[in-house]
Every structure is written in C-alpha cells, then in structure tokens.
C-alpha cells in the first residue's frame, strides 16, 4: 500500500468534508427561515382556526360528537377548543374523556390541514420586525441562487456515495492499518480506493469542489442591510415566495398544479428529468411541471393564465435540451415582445439569444444557423426563412400562439410547417381555450393531427372536465387562484418594446427639437404602427379574455386619448372609462371609478397618473399598465397602490411599457441606481406617501441631461441640422 492510495483517500475525505459543509451551511440558513416563519405561520393558522365554528368538528368525525354543551360553555371556534386544552374541556358538564379525545383529535386534524394550506403574505409597505427577519433569512438563499441549490443537491448525492466508500477504505489511510487488516478488509479497501479515485476525478471534472466552496461562501455571507434585503424582495418577490412555499410546505394542491391531467399522463410528466445546469433561475413546483410537460409530451400547448411565468417554463425546457446537446432553438412571437424574450433568455439562462428581425434578419438567420443559440423572430419574419430539416432545431417555441389560429393565414401556415419539421414544439397562450374548440382544434392540428380530428364540439359542451380530459395529451393550463396561494399580490413586469419605423421618426423629431416631454410620448404619436400601443392592446385583450379589469396610467392627456381611440376601435367591445384627468372634478372621478367597478366582467379605466394616483380606490382592477416611465418613481408606486391595496383579492400585475434605445431606457438606468434604496425609505414615509412631489430627483437636470445625450447619440442637434442643410 503506497502513498498514492493514501493521497486518494485523503482527497476523498476533503471532498466529503466540503460536501458535508455545504449541507450544514444550507441547513443552518433553512433553519433560520423556518424559525422566522414559525410565529407568523402559527398566527395565520390561529386566525384560520378562530374562523372555523365548533360545528365543523362534527363534519370531521362524521357527526359522532355532541357539541351543544361545548358551545354553551363559550367555546365557539376550533381555535378556542385547542386553546382550552383537555383539562378545561373535561370540566364542561356532560363532556366525557372520550368526547374530549375525539374533539381534540378532530381539531388537530383541522389545524394540520390549515398549516398545509395557509399562506403567509409579506407586506412590503408595512414592514415589521417579524417580516424583516423573514425577508433577511430568505435573502441569503435568494442571493445564493440556483448554484447553491445545485451545490447542495450534488453534495447530498456525493456524500451518500463517498461516506460508505471512505469507511471501507479506512485501512488504506495508513500503512500499519493495512498491514493489520485481514484479507477481505484489504480487498474491500482497495476496491473502495478505486471507486473513490473515480468519484473524485468525476467531481473535479464537473467543477464540484469550486461549486461547493462558492456555495458555502454565499450561504455564510448573510444579508448586508435590512433595506438591501427589502429592496431585493421587491425586485425578486416571486423567488422569495417560491422558496417560502417550498420551506413552509404550503404547496398548492398537486392536481391543480398539474392542470388536472389524467393520472397516467401526470405520472409520465413527473418521471421526466429536468436539467438545470444552464438555468439561472429557480422554478416553482408548477413551473417545473410545465417544463417537464413540454419535454415529456414533445409537442404541446402551455395555456397557463397570464402571470404564471410561461416564458420561464419555456426557458427551463430549452436549457434542459441544451444540456442534452441540442444547439439550435427558435422562438416565434409578436414584434411587441421580441426584446423581452432576448432579455429574459440572457438573464435567466446561459444560452445565447439572437434577434432575427429587421433589415439584417437574413444575415442574422445565417449566423444563427452556423453558431446556434436561441433565435427570436416574429411571425411575419418566419415566413421568409427556410424551414429546417428533421432534427436541426431542438425546440420551436411559439408565444401568443392564438395568433396563428386561422389555418388560412400565411403566418399560420409558416408556423405549421416549422412545427411539423421540429422534433419538439411548445405553443404558449394565456387565452383560455375551453370555449373555442374550433380555434383550439386548429392549433392542436399543428402538433397532433390525429387528436385534432377527434376533437368535437361535444367536448366543450360536456364541460371543462371533459374538455381537459380530451386534450390532456397536448394541453396544460393552470389558473392563478389554483397555484399562486403564496405568491405576492403584486407582480411588476417591464415590457421592453422596439420602436417601429414611424415611432423612431417621431422620436427623432422630438429629440431634434430638444423637447423632453415630446420624446417621452413620441411612441404614441403614430398610432397606426405604434409598438407600445400594439402591446397595450394585447395586454388589455388577454386580461379581458381572462375576465380581468385593467387600469391604464399615463402622464399625458393626449396619450390617454390615443389609447382610448385604439381600444374603442379594437374588436371585443370592452367598456372603456375615463380618462380621469386633472380637469375632472374630484367627486366626479370617484363616480367614474364606481361605474368602472360596477361593470360585471372586463373593463378598462384610463387615468392621468398624477390626477388618479391619490385618493381613489381601484381594487376592482387586477392589471395595471403604465404607458411610460415616470421621472419620480413615487408617482408610479402611489398609482399602483390604487389597485394593489387591502380588498384586492387577486394578484395585481403591473406592466410598464418601455422603449429600447431612447429616453425610456436612459430614464430607467439613470433612476434605478440613484433612487431604489432612497425610495425604499421614502415609500415607508407617511409624508412621502401623501406628497410624492416631496421626493426630489431633480427633474429639470434629468431632462436636460437626457436631451443632450440623445441629441449627441442621434446626431440631431440644431447645429448638425444646419450643417447638413448647407452640405446639400
């Protein structure tokens, strides 16, 4: 037995210690979260049990209990029964020990059920010591990110394999131990050394020692300050709530999270492995199931309601396929979400996103064909690209797939050809399809012609359950109320749009004139081809199809006028109220809001952001659209708070419409670093909440700087124009 074997055992022991350390470090952080969560969870469960009448205990015991004397004694809720305990219950006349035992057992079952279903909500506008402690504990895990989870999982697997091998190899750790070991122990030790050597080499090739070391550093670092943790929570609340749901055990009902799929299909999907090595974001359980569904079923429609993260699920499927060796993927979507897709791909994965759009799209397509990556293009541009041969494209993703429901349209035919040629296809739509069997059949026909032929109107007439069963092989839909029990009630989405040619022309004219306010609203001056307006229509239409009301905010009256004309001209007939502007008397503003609220079903309310941002309650709306970024972020916060407030029963989605490459991008970048931490304090100030103008971020200076920088970037100063004119 030589030094080589001893070195192998020592190396294995070091790797095992590092793996154990990662697990221990992660365990301490998880325990800190659970310790911070417990009092809040107990309080929430207590409120739940205090709302359940004692009579419910009869339901749990199938009517075996007689509770008349218990109620007469003053114990009227399940919570009060548990608090009373066995001694006090036994003192109630006519209540014997057997009844006490049955009553407490039933009450504990209800308590256990409440612990599994109750949700703890974190109020960002009213932080308190308990919620701050929870956010701080969660912040460590969120900051550590998916790499820490990957490290913990890898460490657990490695520990399970290395531990027994190191025990068997113990005689090989020393020369004398080996001499004293018997023949069987020596043979076992040598075999273990060989396996340890292979495991260590495998781990080093996978970079596990470095992964473990970095994870331990991240898990031990801790949050910097309370304010930093709260600000990060606002920016990444979905990730915080995802971890909270996982650690609290408050997961949604499995059948709901799996879209009520039949057992055989659900089991097939569950067995699908999901590789996360190229992914930079954690998934909620229902999102993991959605990605697995797309992979296991190969050609599917993901019909989740808006706000459930269909894009993230698609990226998870793409990164899994990339880990398996696929190199080419294509996303087809409306022009209004092109930029969003490329940004999400870059932010959420290690994959390379490539824009296949604009005058150079054919050159970009050739580059994508040669180098690979995730090509992102529009329905119209797709028609000009040659369809692939079999096996070239790992997955075709079609966003807003209801846009290709007409089989006679050229865009639909192009998508159908690509879907046929690609091994996997993922169609995504937030529009419910249950009552649109003819349209749905057309989409299914691109993915599974046989299933499409078997679908008939009777499936819809028989109701949602029959429809879901008939289309289960290709269709998965989940609703917010089924899977977002722990998600925060506010989701903020930046909608980055690429200006159309007319938009760009109007913007250049505003820059040339040095008119900052005109630059801010230039994206709406040519409504026929306005990229922002097109996206706004899509958001309102999808919200309406899901039965949701929308509030649209803008700083500018003329922008609201353009929006009103566009929405009233759109098919569907969604009622439009407003606009609420500074010229509308305060009393009349509330009447407009009341009329908007009274509408049964979808409706749109238009409001000037400063006129409607104070004093009005718009909680009937669950979708908010902000037409342009505001110079003072507090104005946005206050406007959003009109919808996102007590009494709002659905989560609120806020869509900020932003244009790339101009005043919007400069405003966002200039303000985000300067005001986020300050705003985290200001929003918690009663004075700042009441008077948003008290937050001074130097409007005039910001406007001047942006105008000068944009004139320099576009070469549109007055001097430049004069020189250009003299040269002609």
């Amino acid at each position: 037995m030589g030094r080589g074997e001893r070195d192998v055992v020592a190396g294995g022991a070091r790797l095992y210690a590092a793996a154990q350390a990662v697990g221990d470090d992660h365990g301490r952080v998880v325990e800190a979260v659970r310790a911070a969560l417990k009092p809040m969870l107990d309080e929430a469960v207590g409120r739940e049990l205090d709302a359940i009448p004692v009579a419910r205990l009869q339901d749990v015991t199938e009517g075996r209990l007689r509770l008349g004397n218990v109620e007469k004694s003053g114990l009227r809720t399940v919570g009060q029964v548990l608090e009373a305990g066995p001694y006090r219950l036994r003192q109630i006349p006519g209540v014997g020990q057997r009844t006490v035992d049955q009553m407490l057992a039933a009450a504990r079952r209800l308590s256990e059920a409440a612990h599994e279903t109750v949700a703890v909500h974190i109020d960002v506008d009213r932080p308190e010591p308990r919620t701050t402690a929870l956010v701080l504990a969660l912040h460590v895990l969120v900051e550590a990110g998916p790499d820490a989870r990957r490290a913990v999982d890898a460490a657990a697997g490695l520990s399970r394999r290395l531990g027994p091998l190191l025990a068997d190899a113990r005689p090989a750790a020393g020369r004398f131990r080996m001499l004293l070991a018997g023949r069987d122990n020596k043979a076992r030790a040598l075999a273990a050394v060989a396996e340890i050597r292979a495991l260590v080499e495998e781990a080093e090739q996978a970079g596990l020692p470095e992964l473990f070391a970095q994870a331990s550093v991240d898990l031990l670092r801790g949050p910097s300050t309370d304010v930093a943790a709260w600000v990060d929570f606002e920016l990444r609340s979905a990730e915080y709530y995802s971890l909270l749901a996982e650690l609290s055990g408050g997961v949604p009902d499995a059948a709901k999270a799996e879209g009520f799929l039949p057992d055989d299909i659900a089991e097939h999907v569950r067995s699908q492995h999901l590789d996360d090595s190229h992914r930079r974001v954690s998934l909620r359980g229902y999102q993991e199931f959605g990605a697995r569904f797309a992979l296991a079923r190969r050609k599917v429609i993901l019909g989740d309601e808006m706000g459930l993260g269909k894009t993230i699920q698609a990226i998870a499927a793409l990164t899994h396929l990339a880990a398996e060796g696929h190199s080419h993927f294509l996303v087809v979507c409306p022009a209004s979400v092109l930029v969003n897709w490329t940004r999400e791909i870059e932010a959420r994965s290690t994959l390379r996103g490539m824009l296949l759009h604009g005058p150079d799209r054919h050159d970009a397509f050739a580059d994508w064909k040669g180098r690979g990556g995730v090509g992102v293009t529009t329905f119209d541009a797709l028609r000009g690209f040659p369809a692939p041969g079999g096996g070239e494209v790992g997955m075709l993703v079609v966003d807003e797939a209801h846009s290709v429901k007409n089989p006679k349209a050229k865009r639909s035919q192009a998508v159908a050809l690509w879907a046929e040629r690609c091994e996997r296809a993922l169609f995504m739509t937030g529009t419910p399809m249950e009552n649109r069997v003819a349209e749905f059949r057309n989409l299914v026909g691109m993915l599974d012609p046989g299933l499409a032929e078997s679908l008939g109107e009777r499936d819809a007439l028989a109701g949602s359950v029959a429809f879901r069963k008939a289309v289960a092989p290709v269709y998965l839909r989940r609703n917010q109320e089924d899977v977002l029990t722990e998600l925060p009630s506010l989701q903020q989405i930046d909608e980055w749009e690429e200006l159309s040619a007319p938009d760009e022309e109007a913007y250049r004219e505003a820059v040339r004139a040095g008119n900052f306010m005109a630059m801010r609203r230039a994206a709406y001056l040519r409504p026929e081809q306005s990229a922002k307006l097109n996206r706004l229509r899509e958001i309102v239409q999808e919200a309406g199809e899901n039965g949701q009301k929308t509030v649209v905010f803008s700083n500018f009256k003329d922008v609201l006028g353009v929006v009103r004309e566009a929405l009233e001209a759109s098919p569907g007939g969604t009622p439009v109220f407003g606009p609420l502007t500074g010229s509308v008397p305060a009393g009349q503003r509330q009447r407009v809001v009341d009329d908007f609220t009274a509408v049964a079903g979808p409706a749109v309310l238009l409001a000037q952001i400063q006129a409607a941002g104070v004093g009005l309650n718009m909680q009937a709306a669950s979708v908010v659209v902000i037409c342009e970024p505001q110079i003072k972020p507090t104005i946005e916060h206050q406007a959003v708070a009109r919808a996102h407030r007590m009494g709002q029963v659905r989560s609120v989605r806020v869509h900020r419409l932003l244009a790339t490459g101009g005043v919007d991008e400069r405003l966002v970048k200039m303000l985000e670093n300067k005001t986020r931490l300050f705003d985290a304090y200001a929003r918690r100030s009663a004075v700042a909440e009441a008077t948003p103008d008290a937050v001074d971020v130097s409007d005039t200076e910001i406007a001047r700087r942006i105008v000068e920088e944009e004139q320099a970037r576009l070469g549109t100063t007055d001097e430049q124009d004069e020189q250009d004119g003299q040269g002609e």
Side-chain angles (χ1 to χ4, degrees), residues 180-394:
L180 296 174
R183 179 183 299 174
D184 291 344
N185 287 339
K186 285 181 181 177
R188 191 180 300 112
L190 291 173
V193 167
E195 289 191 54
I196 291 170
R197 179 184 286 109
L199 265 181
V200 171
E201 289 175 355
E202 179 185 319
E204 289 175 346
Q205 288 175 0
L208 292 188
E210 295 82 3
L211 183 66
F212 294 164
Q214 186 61 54
S216 284
V217 169
D218 292 338
L219 291 166
L220 292 170
R221 182 180 291 126
S224 50
T225 65
D226 293 4
V227 173
W230 273 112
V231 171
D232 191 59
F233 172 78
E234 291 193 58
L235 296 173
R236 298 191 284 178
S237 56
E239 294 183 43
Y240 281 76
Y241 274 98
S242 177
L243 283 168
L244 189 59
E246 180 184 329
L247 297 179
S248 68
V251 296
D253 179 83
K256 294 177 179 178
E258 295 173 357
F260 301 100
L261 292 179
D263 291 342
D264 58 334
I265 293 179
E267 183 57 37
H268 176 217
V269 173
R270 288 185 215 113
S271 65
Q272 167 68 50
H273 170 62
L274 185 63
D275 190 291
D276 66 352
S277 56
H278 291 289
R279 185 170 14 105
R280 291 175 174 155
V281 63
S282 299
L283 302 180
R284 292 179 68 93
Y286 76 87
Q287 292 173 331
E288 283 196 5
F289 187 85
R292 287 190 169 100
F293 180 79
L295 294 166
R297 305 304 299 177
R298 293 183 171 266
K299 293 189 176 183
V300 300
I301 299 171
L302 181 60
D304 286 346
E305 188 178 3
M306 280 179 72
L308 294 186
K310 292 189 288 293
T311 301
I312 296 299
Q313 295 175 65
I315 291 173
L318 298 182
T319 53
H320 171 90
L321 293 171
E324 287 192 340
H326 293 273
S327 57
H328 290 72
F329 311 99
L330 189 71
V331 174
V332 187
C333 60
S336 58
V337 293
L338 275 172
V339 178
N340 281 348
W341 264 103
T342 54
R343 289 181 180 229
E344 285 293 289
I345 290 164
E346 291 167 2
R348 310 294 187 182
S349 77
T350 63
L351 306 183
R352 188 168 64 103
M354 298 183 63
L355 203 58
L356 313 181
H357 180 59
D360 298 326
R361 61 185 178 276
H362 291 289
D363 291 338
F365 183 82
D367 184 34
W368 169 75
K369 287 272 288 184
R371 299 169 60 197
V374 185
V376 184
T377 192
T378 64
F379 293 105
D380 292 332
L382 183 71
R383 292 164 49 197
F385 298 147
E392 288 181 29
V393 178

